Amino acid sequence: MELESKVFVAGHRGLVGNALVSHLKEKGYTNILTASHQDLDLTRQDATEQFFRQNKPEYVFLCAAKVGGIHANNSYGAEFIYQNATIASNVIQASHVSGVKKLLNLGSSCIYPKFATQPIPEQALLSGALEPTNQAYAIAKIYAIYLCYYYFKQYGANFISAMPANLYGPHDTFDLENSHVLPALIRKFYEATRDKKAQVVVWGDGSPLREFLYSKDLAEALLFLMQHVDANEQYTHINVGSGEECSIKVLAEHVQSISGFEGTIVWDAKRPNGTPRKCMDSSLIHSLGWKAKVSLQEGLQATYNWYTSQC
């Protein structure tokens, strides 16, 4: 991918897309295509194919998705599976028809079984039952992985997929109804500190273990994969993780410390915990030469600073 190559970042306003566009610009890429949802509805096949015909992107990063935390996934399964599967279908098909040189599809670690071997290798895909609370989203993402794989197998398309760990960073969704655990914690502790509340209630019992990846690290990994990894028969996707794991309890305590909240944390154990542990085996991408650089503490502070600057 040359610096003047025409690169389409689908979903450029989201957590990943925003970080990726910034990273591409920092590296000197000068021909970056973006389109807001108002200008291009990727769930419409005709509009997506027209965009590709008119703009003729050479490289595509498929970051567009409907995302959310446990509550959103559990409550709006039909929307999560329909919208994500439809976006993947339209962008991947349009990329194939218009002759895109290479496509990178962004997935999620939730594709893996609830009780997968830890750390989770790429080969664990489809080896067991999914976590029920995010099953709809996971199925849509698994579909996209195999759609890329079979376009490669049948047509020779250079379409690859990356599966990141739990993501966080600036431009995340901080809405309490639809956000993931980390942005939800940041908002809760910020507001509790601001309003001088006595306690913060957190879902679950704090025991689940999670691996977190800062959005800027993922942006670097996506460009690295686009430059160095081609579609092949050995694997359908590549894990991208930090290797840094902590419990939700410890995570909440980190955010509490950053926010300066002096009250107490109340754990609502009647709420779902989700998968008990989710740490990915990222030895493949590490062996190719990429590793995360931003520590959890550093990333949390940067994300908290960004969020509070928007309030």
Side-chain angles (χ1 to χ4, degrees):
M1 194 166 78
E2 304 297 331
L3 293 178
E4 65 276 6
S5 297
K6 191 174 284 190
V7 182
F8 176 40
V9 178
H12 74 288
R13 288 184 172 175
L15 169 64
V16 178
N18 205 296
L20 179 57
V21 169
S22 295
H23 184 60
L24 290 171
K25 289 179 178 177
E26 287 175 8
K27 292 298 181 181
Y29 288 89
T30 58
N31 202 353
I32 303 170
L33 289 170
T34 59
S36 68
H37 179 71
Q38 290 72 27
D39 296 327
L40 173 60
D41 182 354
L42 293 172
T43 65
R44 288 183 52 201
Q45 183 178 10
D46 56 346
T48 305
E49 292 184 351
Q50 182 180 9
F51 176 86
F52 273 74
R53 282 195 303 271
Q54 290 178 342
N55 293 281
K56 298 179 173 56
E58 299 172 83
Y59 298 87
V60 173
F61 290 92
L62 177 46
C63 304
K66 179 177 177 60
V67 298
I70 287 179
H71 174 73
N73 275 275
N74 212 19
S75 302
Y76 311 113
E79 294 174 26
F80 272 83
I81 195 167
Y82 169 74
Q83 290 188 28
N84 286 300
T86 303
I87 288 169
S89 296
N90 291 342
V91 174
I92 292 168
Q93 168 66 4
S95 295
H96 166 63
V97 171
S98 64
V100 164
K101 294 178 180 178
K102 191 170 184 179
L103 176 146
L104 195 159
N105 164 56
L106 184 67
S108 165
S109 59
C110 74
I111 63 166
Y112 292 116
K114 180 173 182 176
F115 299 109
T117 301
Q118 302 287 331
I120 309 171
E122 284 88 352
Q123 295 79 11
L125 184 60
L126 300 183
S127 65
L130 298 166
E131 159 59 40
T133 58
N134 58 22
Q135 180 174 272
Y137 181 72
I139 288 172
K141 288 300 181 180
I142 292 169
Y143 165 79
I145 292 170
Y146 279 97
L147 192 60
C148 286
Y149 174 73
Y150 282 107
Y151 270 78
F152 156 70
K153 192 170 183 180
Q154 184 171 342
Y155 301 112
N158 197 1
F159 296 171
I160 62 175
S161 297
M163 299 301 114
N166 289 54
L167 297 170
Y168 71 100
H171 303 281
D172 205 343
T173 299
F174 292 84
D175 173 75
L176 294 179
E177 289 294 314
N178 299 311
S179 64
H180 289 102
V181 60
L182 201 155
L185 287 174
I186 287 176
R187 178 168 177 176
K188 282 186 175 184
F189 280 103
Y190 166 74
E191 292 183 350
T193 304
R194 180 196 64 192
D195 300 338
K196 296 181 171 54
K197 292 182 178 178
Q199 63 183 35
V200 167
V201 178
V202 183
W203 279 27
D205 60 15
S207 65
L209 295 170
R210 292 290 182 270
E211 175 187 19
F212 293 94
L213 182 67
Y214 191 55
S215 57
K216 184 176 180 180
D217 275 334
L218 178 60
E220 293 182 358
L222 296 181
L223 179 55
F224 176 88
L225 291 171
M226 186 67 90
Q227 292 172 327
H228 296 97
V229 176
D230 291 325
N232 61 77
E233 291 281 0
Q234 290 181 288
Y235 39 80
T236 57
H237 59 285
I238 296 180
N239 288 344
V240 183
S242 64
E244 190 174 358
E245 188 180 28
C246 76
S247 69
I248 299 302
K249 181 178 184 296
V250 170
L251 180 69
E253 291 170 349
H254 283 327
V255 179
Q256 178 183 22
S257 176
I258 290 170
S259 70
F261 177 66
E262 296 179 351
T264 58
I265 300 175
V266 176
W267 295 95
D268 185 357
K270 294 180 181 179
R271 299 289 190 170
N273 272 328
T275 301
R277 185 185 180 198
K278 192 164 62 173
C279 181
M280 299 200 303
D281 180 354
S282 299
S283 56
L284 176 55
I285 192 170
H286 292 168
S287 71
L288 297 173
W290 177 89
K291 286 189 177 180
K293 300 174 183 176
V294 180
S295 70
L296 182 58
Q297 279 290 98
E298 181 185 355
L300 279 176
Q301 186 68 64
T303 306
Y304 187 85
N305 291 347
W306 180 86
Y307 172 70
T308 56
S309 73
Q310 307 300 305
C311 295

